[in-house]
Amino acid sequence: MRATTIHAPFDMRVEDVPDPAVQQPTDVVVRVLRACICGSDLWAYRGESARQPGQRIGHEFLGIVEEAGADVRGFRAGDLVVAPFVWSDGSCDYCAEGLQTSCPNGGFWGSVGSDGGQGEAVRVPYADGTLVKLPAAAAGDDRLLTALLALSDVMGTGHHAALGAGVTKGSTVAVVGDGAVGLCGVLAARRLGAERIIALGRHTVRTDIARAFGATDVVAERGEAAEAAVRELTGGQGAHAVIEAVGTEQSMRTAVNITRDGGSIGYVGVPHGSGTGLDLSVMFDRNIALRGGVAPVRAYIPELLPDVLDGTIDPSPVFDLTVGLDGVPGGYRAMDERTALKVLVTP
């Protein structure tokens, strides 16, 4: 089969690799119908996170089960499924607690020795604990398939941030970051009943999506100017709930400084650069809570899936460029140069 590999910074290739096969009785093989490029993939692309030459890449995909191992009970050939961005066994204490990202038998797609989502097919370990079945009819609906793909990562991650930030009905929410996760955080906050949602972002195309997703206000300034703008919009107090979806020192500092005393920050931006921006004495004095981390999206898919299927939420607009598999290297360039928000891949 063909799959995307990374060989060095800015050196992405689509190459012939061995076809995946069932290796353990709990495996399935999924033929990929939709995949995408994540903002976190760009850290490998730019050389800011290490990869071995030839390593696979991509952690968001959905597709059709082609083969199932003898011990797989929940899936059979022909099923349409979506995969969260990590696999998990579904039976450990962490999985039972809804923290599948800490499963001791789990792992990330594209890690050394595993298939990546940006290819024609993927071997899925622990299929019963990992995959979620989708209605077969969705396979014929391009827009719905694209919306469902967001459940593999960005929609669940935005939801995780909103929960960490303590979004409740009637609350005021600020979202730091206008990437796909931040935009899905806006959508998640609206779904949870936020009354006011302030989106921080400088790119009109993206903030237009934020408004369509439910943002009531947009702040285009950065740094201290952004903090002042949010304070002005909130009567000097700040937001009850703040979603941090960038992961830099500056973004975290902004998040702290626009949080209302007694409020919470839900952080899901992958830390890079300094990755701090925290003054614990300030957070202590102002009773600011910090919750978040790697989103256990497998725990959230069953809750979010019905709302995507019935159109209550539609995250598909975050995908603004579509490429075939051979177009993946160009898709990385487009996202790196910020001419694309999130690239959809149709193998």
Side-chain angles (χ1 to χ4, degrees):
M1 71 166 187
R2 292 174 62 73
T4 306
T5 57
I6 182 168
H7 290 261
F10 307 104
D11 183 2
M12 312 299 297
R13 306 178 194 176
V14 178
E15 301 181 305
D16 290 327
V17 300
D19 290 333
V22 169
Q23 298 178 16
Q24 300 295 330
T26 52
D27 292 350
V28 303
V29 173
V30 172
R31 174 170 53 86
V32 176
L33 294 182
R34 294 286 186 279
C36 54
I37 301 172
C38 183
S40 63
D41 291 331
L42 295 180
W43 305 124
Y45 179 70
R46 295 166 179 161
E48 296 182 37
S49 59
R51 294 291 189 276
Q52 294 182 6
Q55 189 172 336
R56 310 286 182 82
I57 196 165
H59 55 262
E60 302 158 281
F61 66 94
L62 59 74
I64 302 290
V65 174
E66 290 207 320
E67 182 183 1
D71 290 347
V72 175
R73 297 291 176 260
F75 304 97
R76 61 183 180 181
D79 285 342
L80 179 66
V81 294
V82 62
F85 64 82
V86 301
W87 70 79
S88 53
D89 62 21
S91 60
C92 71
D93 289 344
Y94 287 114
C95 287
E97 294 165 6
L99 194 63
Q100 289 88 344
T101 49
S102 291
C103 176
N105 291 314
F108 288 80
W109 312 112
S111 56
V112 175
S114 72
D115 294 316
Q118 294 162 21
E120 292 181 323
V122 176
R123 180 182 75 88
V124 177
Y126 301 105
D128 285 325
T130 300
L131 299 174
V132 176
K133 189 180 298 186
L134 302 173
D141 185 330
D142 284 342
R143 184 211 58 78
L144 180 56
L145 268 187
T146 302
L148 291 168
L149 176 63
L151 294 175
S152 66
D153 186 348
V154 288
M155 188 62 232
T157 298
H159 179 67
H160 186 58
L163 293 179
V167 177
T168 57
K169 187 175 182 180
S171 59
T172 294
V173 181
V175 180
V176 181
D178 60 3
V181 170
L183 294 173
C184 286
V186 171
L187 198 56
R190 187 190 71 181
R191 177 180 176 274
L192 292 171
E195 181 176 324
R196 190 172 197 182
I197 303 173
I198 304 167
L200 281 69
R202 296 178 295 155
H203 303 86
T204 303
V205 171
R206 299 182 180 200
T207 54
D208 284 349
I209 297 173
R211 289 189 184 278
F213 280 4
T216 55
D217 304 272
V218 169
V219 169
E221 294 85 356
R222 298 186 71 186
E224 293 182 358
E227 296 164 14
V230 174
R231 292 279 174 184
E232 183 176 355
L233 288 169
T234 57
Q237 292 186 339
H240 299 98
V242 175
I243 290 172
E244 194 288 309
V246 182
T248 64
E249 181 173 352
Q250 177 65 66
S251 63
M252 185 61 81
R253 182 176 293 111
T254 297
V256 171
N257 290 341
I258 63 175
T259 303
R260 185 180 186 271
D261 286 15
S264 300
I265 300 168
Y267 73 107
V268 292
V270 179
H272 53 277
S274 173
T276 58
L278 295 175
D279 185 332
L280 292 181
S281 64
V282 169
M283 298 179 70
F284 181 87
D285 290 343
R286 297 177 50 214
N287 281 282
I288 293 175
L290 180 67
R291 293 189 294 269
V294 183
V297 299
R298 178 60 181 82
Y300 301 139
I301 293 175
E303 175 184 351
L304 297 172
L305 176 58
D307 284 359
V308 174
L309 291 173
D310 69 14
T312 300
I313 55 174
D314 178 12
S316 65
V318 302
F319 299 95
D320 61 345
L321 176 63
T322 300
V323 300
L325 194 55
D326 287 337
V328 169
Y332 272 87
R333 287 193 298 273
M335 286 183 63
D336 183 49
E337 295 167 359
R338 300 185 74 87
T339 59
L341 168 59
K342 189 167 180 67
V343 174
L344 178 69
V345 181
T346 56

